[in-house]
Amino acid sequence: MKRKDLILKLIGEMSSYILDENPMKMVISLHQEEDGLHLAIIDDAKHSDADLEKLDKTLNSRKRPELAAYYGAMTGHDLLGSSRLDLLGWQIKHSDIVRMGEGVKIDLWLGGDRFDSRQFNIPDKGE
Amino acid sequence: MLQIILLTLLSALILTGVLSDGITETIQGVVELQIHPARLINDFIDIAGIGAAFVNAALVGLTGLLLIKFSGIGLSGPTFAAVLTMTGFGLFGKTPLNILPIIAGVYLSARLVGKRMKDYLIIALFGTALGPLVSALAWEFGLPLLPAFLAGMAGGVITGFFLPSIAVSMLHLHQGYNLYNMGLSCGFFGLFAAAVIRGFSQFSTVPSHWFVESSLLLELFVPVFSVLLISAGLIIGGKQALRDLKEIQSIPGRLPSDFVDMASISGSLINIGLIGLFGSAYIFIIGASFNGPVIGGLFTIMGFAAFGTHLKNSWPVVAGVITATLLTGNPLNSPGPILAVIFSTTLAPISGEFGIFVGFTAGFIHLLMVMQTGSWHGGMNLYNNGFAGGLTAALIVSVIQWYKSNKPEM
């Protein structure tokens, strides 16, 4: 899949999830490097601890190549019904979920097997 | 655990088959099935006996299991469903010989776009629904042995090659609300294959085979298997298994819903067993025979009870099919309606997501559709209910989407 298509699908599915909660604010930030990318989604909707735990479990579920390549095609595309972050979780390298005020910040990291997100060049706030 | 269950089932089929008909007759029957037309409805029990049909089904299931193993994928909801479905259809249409070229075609397709077999594993396993196309090309045109074999193999490889592209497109059509997406995909391809064959030859219908005799062995096989699965679930999970079963009943079931991952293996086993018991009870109540297609159908819905089907999302659809059957004057125990009731659970996610009324409507439409669609692809797509269900789901999903997208927000 082309990188542009993948990014569009990820943004579509994540937006669907966030907008289900009817937030007043949603910010999507993309940072690309040659062998990986970082997508951050921030909202201001209220999320319970149980919701965030479920979100974390879904996005960081075990990799399912047999499902990702086939059913993953529905990610961010077939949006009738509840959002399905499991489709997304099978395709990303890992995810971090952090509370920000009332809302949440969801970091999605993508890359090949050699991609190490810990070395990813995300600028600090001060830079 | 799932591997032990499947290996036990396949071993039981082989053992039961051989004990039932003897080794010689069973082997002769299995060979006969490989070169027999396989289009709908060809009940292998009626054609070659219980022994040959059971052993053939076990060999088909084993092929699926080995493919999963060699792909390096662990067994879970979808792969369990695939093996059980393949085994079931090994009783009425699939043979090792007619499924292998399709799998090879899917592999070639994967290699062309730089993917691995494991990426298209589910498509390869369920894509074997077009096995009868391979058998038709090989054995229905009176070709000499070698050209017949080559024609079947070539047709199967070409078929498999096209399936991944079609399968992904068909998913978008119903958005995951038809569990047997490969049924829709194979039916879609089958339309073209049937048109090509009919364009160049006389492609007559094959005589239908439907085993009607009563057999205690056939009647008890699924209920006993179901009870064993429920017992296994309770032993492994205890009270937690029942809580997980309750959780499973709350999942809409839209593709892909792996109950083993989303709840637990123990809860899934109880769900599988319950679906098997309720399905068997229905067959007993309407006085139908437990034959190849019926047992195959029950195996399939039991497989999908780990991957989208449960009692809560199934009953409205089944009620819709039964109502439509009665209103159209069809007997409930005739082949079409029996299979429609069993396989209509392909539409279970519709009632799971949109409620009882929509699920009931889907079931009602499904019966009317499935009674027609078989002839469209010449009976070459074994998942005819998946095909009809996919078309029904696409209709319902498009109407709901149109309504939700256009009605003014409050």
Side-chain angles (χ1 to χ4, degrees):
Chain A
M1 190 186 297
K2 287 184 178 172
R3 180 181 278 219
K4 179 185 164 188
D5 294 340
L6 179 62
I7 294 169
L8 283 171
K9 287 179 171 212
L10 297 178
I11 291 175
E13 197 67 45
M14 280 311 304
S15 304
S16 173
Y17 171 77
I18 297 288
L19 293 173
D20 277 345
E21 300 298 319
N22 200 25
M24 299 307 290
K25 180 178 83 173
M26 178 173 76
V27 179
I28 297 175
S29 156
L30 170 68
H31 180 103
Q32 295 200 68
E33 289 201 354
E34 199 171 311
D35 56 354
L37 65 87
H38 168 221
L39 198 61
I41 301 100
I42 300 167
D43 78 346
D44 65 349
K46 283 184 182 173
H47 300 273
S48 66
D49 287 342
D51 281 346
L52 293 190
E53 193 181 332
K54 191 177 173 189
L55 179 64
D56 185 52
K57 189 182 164 190
T58 307
L59 289 176
N60 290 308
S61 59
R62 69 187 172 100
K63 297 304 160 221
R64 304 290 299 271
E66 81 278 21
L67 301 182
Y70 176 22
Y71 299 113
M74 289 191 284
T75 312
H77 189 281
D78 302 322
L79 298 175
L80 180 65
S82 323
S83 55
R84 293 172 300 163
L85 297 182
D86 47 355
L87 296 176
L88 201 150
W90 297 327
Q91 297 176 69
I92 62 175
K93 188 154 190 183
H94 82 261
S95 166
D96 294 316
I97 291 139
V98 185
R99 274 198 184 281
M100 284 190 70
E102 282 199 329
V104 67
K105 175 169 174 265
I106 303 165
D107 291 297
L108 306 178
W109 306 87
L110 282 92
D113 290 340
R114 285 178 301 175
F115 170 62
D116 183 357
S117 64
R118 288 171 299 181
Q119 296 171 3
F120 207 81
N121 184 24
I122 301 289
D124 289 334
K125 267 186 176 177
E127 287 184 49
Chain B
M1 184 65 194
L2 292 176
Q3 186 168 323
I4 293 170
I5 289 168
L6 288 174
L7 285 173
T8 306
L9 172 68
L10 300 181
S11 306
L13 283 168
I14 292 172
L15 201 64
T16 313
V18 171
L19 288 176
S20 172
D21 288 355
I23 290 180
T24 311
E25 194 179 325
T26 298
I27 293 173
Q28 283 171 347
V30 170
V31 172
E32 183 191 349
L33 291 178
Q34 309 310 305
I35 55 173
H36 195 279
R39 289 191 278 150
L40 291 172
I41 299 173
N42 263 301
D43 184 346
F44 285 173
I45 293 177
D46 196 50
I47 293 164
I50 294 174
F54 272 27
V55 171
N56 181 72
L59 292 175
V60 171
L62 196 60
T63 306
L65 203 54
L66 287 173
L67 186 63
I68 294 166
K69 185 85 178 166
F70 289 128
S71 300
I73 296 294
L75 277 170
S76 58
T79 39
F80 179 80
V83 174
L84 220 49
T85 301
M86 288 176 72
T87 307
F89 279 86
L91 296 170
F92 69 116
K94 293 185 186 181
T95 66
L97 196 64
N98 71 19
I99 64 171
L100 284 172
I102 296 173
I103 293 170
V106 174
Y107 173 76
L108 289 178
S109 179
R111 297 308 301 163
L112 179 73
V113 292
K115 290 189 181 291
R116 302 155 298 179
M117 189 62 185
K118 67 171 76 172
D119 294 320
Y120 285 161
L121 179 65
I122 303 293
I123 295 172
L125 295 169
F126 285 115
T128 53
L130 281 168
L133 169 59
V134 176
S135 297
L137 290 172
W139 316 122
E140 290 191 36
F141 296 102
L143 295 172
L145 186 62
L146 185 61
F149 180 78
L150 292 176
M153 294 301 114
V157 170
I158 292 168
T159 299
F161 186 82
F162 280 104
L163 286 181
S165 54
I166 298 170
V168 169
S169 291
M170 292 297 118
L171 270 179
H172 296 316
L173 205 59
H174 57 77
Q175 303 202 19
Y177 289 103
N178 173 42
L179 288 177
Y180 310 157
N181 181 57
M182 286 311 296
L184 177 60
S185 309
C186 292
F188 182 77
F189 185 85
L191 296 178
F192 293 91
V196 170
I197 294 172
R198 285 177 180 135
F200 291 98
S201 67
Q202 292 292 321
F203 195 46
S204 55
T205 53
V206 288
S208 181
H209 288 271
W210 183 264
F211 187 73
V212 290
E213 290 171 35
S214 179
S215 161
L216 190 64
L217 171 67
L218 296 177
E219 286 169 0
L220 290 181
F221 201 91
V222 173
V224 168
F225 181 45
S226 302
V227 169
L228 289 176
L229 291 177
I230 293 172
S231 307
L234 288 171
I235 291 167
I236 296 168
K239 285 183 181 173
Q240 183 59 40
L242 295 174
R243 283 192 285 274
D244 292 337
L245 175 68
K246 194 177 170 192
E247 187 188 340
I248 286 172
Q249 308 302 310
S250 69
I251 299 171
R254 184 183 179 191
L255 281 175
S257 298
D258 184 347
F259 292 163
V260 177
D261 250 18
M262 297 169 89
S264 70
I265 191 165
S266 54
S268 300
L269 289 177
I270 299 175
N271 190 50
I272 294 164
L274 285 176
I275 288 285
L277 282 183
F278 272 82
S280 302
Y282 175 77
I283 300 300
F284 277 118
I285 289 167
I286 62 168
S289 300
F290 278 78
N291 55 23
V294 167
I295 295 175
L298 293 174
F299 277 176
T300 302
I301 59 172
M302 289 172 75
F304 273 87
F307 191 48
T309 303
H310 50 71
L311 293 175
K312 193 178 169 190
N313 67 4
S314 296
W315 77 262
V317 183
V318 169
V321 174
I322 292 173
T323 307
T325 304
L326 295 174
L327 287 179
T328 52
N330 286 301
L332 283 173
N333 61 359
S334 60
I338 292 172
L339 297 181
V341 164
I342 295 173
F343 289 114
S344 64
T345 49
T346 185
L347 292 167
I350 288 190
S351 55
E353 187 81 44
F354 305 116
I356 293 170
F357 175 72
V358 182
F360 179 88
T361 308
F364 194 98
I365 298 170
H366 176 75
L367 184 276
L368 304 176
M369 286 296 291
V370 80
M371 299 299 275
Q372 309 298 327
T373 50
S375 61
W376 297 357
H377 49 71
M380 290 189 293
N381 170 30
L382 290 172
Y383 305 163
N384 184 45
N385 274 268
F387 180 38
L391 296 173
T392 305
L395 174 73
I396 288 175
V397 163
S398 49
V399 171
I400 294 173
Q401 184 146 40
W402 164 80
Y403 179 72
K404 285 197 168 182
S405 304
N406 289 285
K407 74 167 181 175
E409 283 196 44
M410 298 299 286

